[in-house]
Amino acid sequence: RPKRTLYSKKYGVDLIRYTHAANTVVYSSNKIDDTIRYLSLHDNKYIRYFPGHTKRVVALSMSPVDDTFISGSLDKTIRLWDLRSPNCQGLMHLQGKPVCSFDPEGLIFAAGVNSEMVKLYDLRSFDKGPFATFKMQYDRTCEWTGLKFSNDGKLILISTNGGFIRLIDAFKGAVLHTFGGYNNSKAVTLEASFTPDSQFIMIGSEDGKIHVWNGESGMKVAVLDGKHTGPITCLQFNPKFMTFASACSNMVRNWTLSSSE
């Protein structure tokens, strides 16, 4: 049951990420401007604003270990921030639309650029440029919409708005598997996720079903029907327990995985 409803009618809401402080989030806007906002859910008051991006923010990732976060925008930049300061702590100019994410230890972040390459940066020396660049085969039929590390840090999952997602080796950049066979004919941004043990990959589909693959073998192991009435655009795991949530535009489903599943 919903506990509270907080509105952001003036600025709109797009990407939302919890911070390490209780009952606080950072989120991007989809109205008026492209400022990122730091909000207290307890009293519905803004703690800080993070201005700088000049176009829509399409990627937002909170460090798993401290108050650092990164954002990627259609202005072809990735910005590094600290929740304690409104000023940008670092700026990277790229050649195309970025997606980005921290690794599980918060020491490295990855940037997916122009839907064809992954660049790895050391947070302590990001201004020196990437320490590794992995070039992928470019696909004209879709673009990258998300990038995630597995919890063990060994794998990177690349989501697209097409009919496939890719699993790559986080150290060598080799494509390990390409997963397809789910519906996405309207180029929707569908979220893919690792299970907490890093062994399985899941993505929702346009028809409201969830497809599950074994990351090692690449074989599809299950299709779950949550009775969603539209595309599953959000699919995220609880970081501590074998539960996850899937959401379409008008419902949220909570799932629990048993050992038999």
Side-chain angles (χ1 to χ4, degrees), residues 163-211:
F164 67 91
I165 53 179
R166 284 202 175 106
L167 185 68
I168 70 171
D169 184 297
F171 301 104
K172 299 178 181 179
V175 176
L176 302 175
H177 298 292
T178 298
F179 305 116
Y182 59 91
N183 296 330
N184 192 16
S185 62
K186 298 179 181 178
V188 178
T189 298
L190 303 171
E191 184 175 20
S193 288
F194 289 98
T195 53
D197 60 9
S198 305
Q199 293 187 23
F200 298 92
I201 291 90
M202 308 174 71
I203 190 171
S205 64
E206 189 178 69
D207 59 5
K209 293 182 172 62
I210 298 170
H211 297 249

Side-chain angles (χ1 to χ4, degrees), residues 15-254:
L15 306 175
I16 306 172
R17 302 290 182 261
Y18 277 101
T19 73
H20 299 291
N23 294 313
T24 59
V25 296
V26 289
Y27 72 89
S28 62
S29 309
N30 54 13
K31 296 180 181 179
I32 297 183
D33 61 23
D34 301 288
T35 297
I36 298 168
R37 291 171 169 82
Y38 183 21
L39 176 69
S40 168
L41 301 177
H42 174 69
D43 50 14
N44 197 25
K45 291 183 178 180
Y46 292 115
I47 301 170
R48 193 160 287 116
Y49 301 90
F50 303 95
H53 284 301
T54 58
K55 291 186 178 180
R56 184 166 64 92
V57 174
V58 293
L60 195 59
S61 178
M62 192 77 210
S63 166
V65 296
D66 57 26
D67 288 335
T68 306
F69 70 96
I70 51 176
S71 58
S73 165
L74 294 180
D75 62 14
K76 299 181 182 179
T77 67
I78 288 178
R79 290 177 180 263
L80 179 68
W81 309 89
D82 189 304
L83 286 175
R84 296 165 292 187
S85 170
N87 301 316
C88 176
Q89 306 293 303
L91 175 62
M92 283 141 282
H93 292 277
L94 306 169
Q95 299 300 312
K97 173 187 173 181
V99 290
C100 54
S101 181
F102 279 100
D103 83 321
E105 296 182 348
L107 298 175
I108 293 169
F109 65 89
V113 184
N114 221 25
S115 298
E116 63 178 348
M117 66 180 69
V118 175
K119 296 176 178 287
L120 299 182
Y121 294 84
D122 188 316
L123 191 62
R124 297 158 294 189
S125 56
F126 64 87
D127 54 327
K128 296 180 180 178
F131 65 84
T133 298
F134 307 138
K135 186 78 180 290
M136 307 282 143
Q137 183 177 355
Y138 181 67
D139 191 311
R140 296 178 180 274
T141 65
C142 63
E143 62 180 18
W144 295 359
T145 56
L147 184 153
K148 290 183 179 181
F149 280 89
S150 58
N151 283 344
D152 61 11
K154 297 178 180 179
L155 305 168
I156 295 175
L157 181 61
I158 298 172
S159 304
T160 75
N161 63 357
F164 67 91
I165 53 179
R166 284 202 175 106
L167 185 68
I168 70 171
D169 184 297
F171 301 104
K172 299 178 181 179
V175 176
L176 302 175
H177 298 292
T178 298
F179 305 116
Y182 59 91
N183 296 330
N184 192 16
S185 62
K186 298 179 181 178
V188 178
T189 298
L190 303 171
E191 184 175 20
S193 288
F194 289 98
T195 53
D197 60 9
S198 305
Q199 293 187 23
F200 298 92
I201 291 90
M202 308 174 71
I203 190 171
S205 64
E206 189 178 69
D207 59 5
K209 293 182 172 62
I210 298 170
H211 297 249
V212 188
W213 294 268
N214 182 297
E216 184 174 354
S217 69
M219 299 293 292
K220 185 176 288 187
V221 295
V223 178
L224 310 176
D225 189 359
K227 308 298 182 183
H228 284 283
T229 57
I232 299 175
T233 54
C234 183
L235 182 68
Q236 293 194 17
F237 269 85
N238 183 302
K240 295 183 179 180
F241 304 103
M242 289 295 283
T243 63
F244 68 95
S246 58
C248 62
S249 60
N250 57 5
M251 71 170 66
V252 177
R253 296 283 189 189
N254 291 307

